[in-house]
Amino acid sequence: MTFRLYDTATREVRDFVPLEEGKAGIYVCGLTVQSEPHVGHVRSAVNFDVLRRWLTHTGHDVTFIRNVTDIDDKILTKSAEQGRPWFNLAYAMHAELTRALASINVLAPTYEPGATGHVPEMLQMIETLIANGHAYAAEDGSGDVYFDVRSWPAYGELTGQKVDDMEPAGDADPRGKRDPRDFALWKGWKQDSEPATAAWPSPYGPGRPGWHIECSAMAGKYLGPAFDIHGGGVDLRFPHHENEQAQSRAAGHAFASYWMHNAWITTAGEKMSKSLGNSLLVPKVLERVRGIELRFYMVSAHYRSHVEFSFEALDEAAVGFRRIETFLDRAGAGEVGAVPAEFVAAMDDDLGTPAAVAVIFDTVREGNRAEDPAPHAAAVRAMLGVLGLDPADPAWGAGSSDDAALTAVVDALVAGLLEQRAEARADKDYARADVIRDQIKAAGIVVEDTPAGPKWSLSDAR
RNA sequence: GGUGGGUUGGCCGAGAGGCGAGGCAACGGACUGCAAAUCCGUGUACACGGGUUCAAAUCCCGUACCCACCUCCA
């Protein structure tokens, strides 16, 4: 059984053959840290986190690089609007991102490079491109350096487009470009409108890096000129990924063997944007469901499928996940076992998480039916673990010592009431028994009778 | 104009020529003092119109609608 994945470049599902047996190098385009992350942003992170966990599970030594773009036009514009230094905005939003990803158990990457820390690497690559005849310094004295699209015949290969068919950007400022489709590798400093802190020295004059070059330079630095998988959101296919590939290959790098792109989460059929995105900021969503439930919601859909976000669907997913948790609770804290073959088959087929989740539910049902649920619970935990959804994973911040202490206190208080209720029930005085149960319920605690005796839990599962 | 993707039952969401993924909801039954949890059962779903085939949600042709991207937009 081999892992197969959909390669955007070839538009087909292909066997995954790493460059080096037993290893996998992955580069994922992270975020431009210009504002708080919303659920659309973190879906990408969850999808690639699942990829990483699956490759790790199947015995690969994974090097996972996810960048942050910490300098760009939007960061400069927004920070100016907010009257604070651009680096402060980027740093603060980066911290928000880290917090959001941790709350849904996305593993920290092997390394998370930022553009501002890799200016020399980028300049080096630009120099190579100029030497190879694929880039040129603008002749208008702007200090910009452009990639020469016409000099690279393969340009457009990733997205199957021909340069001549492309819509010339109406709003593009031709400035010193030879072709309107040429893109910036280096952007000259605009003294009148941009802070001096956003300019770095270069052979072309002070300036800052273009967007695409950072990924080419950083992928090259940390993964080498050739690596296995490059990922990101669908919107990045063009121009970003197309440009990355063109410049890297023009600089002599083989670059990525496979390209993976995750689809959007939309709201009301529309792409998320800051205007309607407010209610979908990650902390906001986490007021409604737990991080593990949000992650489950995202994993329940295939990474290449559009997801129409709705709180109703999110709630529904949370209910479904609690069914799994209830089973695990009932089965007791067992061991983590092996993953069933059907689960492996589902995951090997281009990360078929929906089918994988179906296997989890099937296993839960079998476990609920079985005399001894332990082996089933062990399998369920193994599967959840691979998906980053094991409720027992300490990453979910399960129970602080305060929580534990509080639980013991409540347990003692409820125990007395439950005893009275047990007496009433023994006397068949059900009216009194129900009054006691309602009393407890009024305090926000639900009592359920199980074969092992009454059990209490907070009525709000959160 | 170019490129790519989509339309599945009350809802979410898989599948990609033959056996109704899975979840949520609903209804019936079992269990329960009643509940809860759990189990068992119940559905003539594949945008529309043609076609190919013994067999189409799945392939082909056409139509409608939706979405993304086309040089600095996540």
Side-chain angles (χ1 to χ4, degrees), chain A residues 1-303:
Chain A
M1 192 84 71
T2 49
F3 177 46
R4 295 164 59 75
L5 58 85
Y6 181 85
D7 179 7
T8 314
T10 58
R11 278 173 226 142
E12 62 186 2
V13 177
R14 306 199 279 133
D15 283 359
F16 175 65
V17 182
L19 293 169
E20 202 180 328
E21 177 83 35
K23 293 194 174 180
I26 304 174
Y27 186 92
V28 174
C29 287
L31 289 183
T32 297
V33 281
Q34 46 144 336
S35 57
E36 293 91 347
H38 60 228
V39 288
H41 292 132
V42 295
R43 150 120 112 147
S44 175
V46 169
N47 288 152
F48 290 106
D49 189 52
V50 168
L51 167 70
R52 177 199 191 165
R53 287 174 189 260
W54 183 242
L55 285 173
T56 302
H57 175 84
T58 51
H60 296 81
D61 180 10
V62 180
T63 302
F64 190 92
I65 304 296
R66 185 185 62 225
N67 76 301
V68 290
T69 299
D70 54 359
I71 180 70
D72 91 320
D73 292 350
K74 286 203 156 182
I75 292 175
L76 290 175
T77 307
K78 287 200 175 181
S79 61
E81 281 166 15
Q82 295 171 21
R84 60 163 152 174
W86 64 271
F87 45 86
N88 176 59
L89 173 67
Y91 181 63
M93 292 306 117
H94 188 179
E96 289 290 335
L97 173 66
T98 302
R99 195 171 316 150
L101 295 183
S103 69
I104 48 173
N105 197 16
V106 170
L107 296 171
T110 306
Y111 186 53
E112 187 175 39
T116 55
H118 297 79
V119 172
E121 287 83 353
M122 292 188 245
L123 288 173
Q124 196 173 27
M125 188 169 239
I126 292 170
E127 203 181 303
T128 304
L129 288 170
I130 292 177
N132 290 356
H134 295 299
Y136 59 94
E139 284 135 30
D140 62 357
S142 60
D144 291 351
V145 179
Y146 297 110
F147 182 86
D148 186 348
V149 162
R150 298 279 179 186
S151 78
W152 188 248
Y155 189 74
E157 63 180 339
L158 180 64
T159 49
Q161 302 184 91
K162 295 192 187 79
V163 173
D164 291 318
D165 289 340
M166 289 178 199
E167 197 171 72
D171 60 337
D173 175 4
R175 292 176 299 220
K177 290 184 182 182
R178 289 178 188 168
D179 186 288
R181 284 153 283 236
D182 288 351
F183 56 90
L185 297 171
W186 185 258
K187 307 172 82 155
W189 179 38
K190 298 183 188 66
Q191 281 194 56
D192 49 333
S193 59
E194 296 178 359
T197 49
W200 286 259
S202 86
Y204 327 102
R208 58 190 167 92
W211 178 27
H212 319 296
I213 193 72
E214 63 175 273
C215 291
S216 286
M218 297 189 295
K221 174 157 184 164
Y222 299 108
L223 295 170
F227 58 95
D228 299 300
I229 302 172
H230 190 128
V234 271
D235 60 315
L236 297 178
R237 277 188 334 217
F238 195 92
H240 190 229
H241 288 339
E242 187 76 70
N243 290 174
E244 270 184 54
Q245 185 171 78
Q247 68 202 179
S248 282
R249 291 195 171 165
H253 293 188
F255 215 51
S257 307
Y258 299 85
W259 287 88
M260 290 179 74
H261 295 276
N262 66 277
W264 289 116
I265 287 191
T266 57
T267 324
E270 286 177 33
K271 183 170 164 176
M272 269 181 208
S273 68
K274 60 177 180 345
S275 55
L276 39 81
N278 294 338
S279 60
L280 295 175
L281 294 179
V282 174
K284 191 79 187 168
V285 173
L286 292 182
E287 285 173 15
R288 181 147 174 155
V289 296
R290 293 172 296 154
I292 199 169
E293 291 163 347
L294 174 58
R295 186 177 172 110
F296 179 74
Y297 173 59
M298 298 202 232
V299 167
S300 298
H302 188 84
Y303 76 91

